[in-house]
Amino acid sequence: MSTETKQMSFNDIIKGETPVLVDFYADWCGPCKMMGPILHDLKKRLGDSINIIKIDAEKNPQAAIKYQVRGVPTLILFKNGDILWQQSGVVRTPQLEQIINQKTAEYEQR
């Protein structure tokens, strides 16, 4: 039996069939620290129907510039490489879950 680990790039991850919520954050940012428990709770609620990744905006400035991240935290929802939704600031779990369900449903109806 072999164990193989496949390393995926950011672009590989956001181009997947599974929606991906990206949290652009900074270590010094107080509101960013509030997002940790919210995203953990969201992952518990939505399970494998979504991937959630965190990107340090200061350590990855090219990604932050590419997606016009002007403040942290900024949340961006991707599916198949398309941006379905983007917002800066803290978003509570129930609202975030509702937005994700709504935006992915709208995307599927295209």
Side-chain angles (χ1 to χ4, degrees):
M1 175 190 267
S2 71
T3 56
E4 215 173 285
T5 302
K6 182 179 178 185
Q7 192 168 20
M8 297 178 71
S9 72
F10 177 75
N11 285 331
D12 292 337
I13 294 169
I14 65 170
K15 288 180 181 173
E17 283 283 321
T18 303
V20 180
L21 182 66
V22 180
D23 173 22
F24 284 91
Y25 75 99
D27 286 335
W28 50 263
C29 166
C32 297
K33 292 175 183 165
M34 294 171 63
M35 288 306 302
I38 291 170
L39 296 176
H40 185 76
D41 188 33
L42 182 70
K43 183 62 178 173
K44 272 193 202 171
R45 288 177 180 221
L46 298 179
D48 291 336
S49 66
I50 191 163
N51 291 321
I52 299 173
I53 60 175
K54 294 178 71 71
I55 302 286
D56 187 327
E58 291 184 331
K59 292 181 181 170
N60 299 282
Q62 295 85 6
I65 291 168
K66 181 175 181 179
Y67 295 105
Q68 301 179 358
V69 174
R70 294 189 173 95
V72 285
T74 292
L75 301 167
I76 305 177
L77 180 64
F78 292 93
K79 182 166 182 167
N80 296 326
D82 295 326
I83 295 176
L84 307 185
W85 172 78
Q86 180 169 349
Q87 182 171 322
S88 294
V90 174
V91 182
R92 301 285 177 206
T93 306
Q95 184 185 2
L96 202 48
E97 184 178 5
Q98 180 184 3
I99 290 167
I100 290 166
N101 289 334
Q102 177 187 344
K103 295 300 179 185
T104 53
E106 288 172 5
Y107 184 82
E108 297 301 326
Q109 292 175 355
R110 286 190 202 177

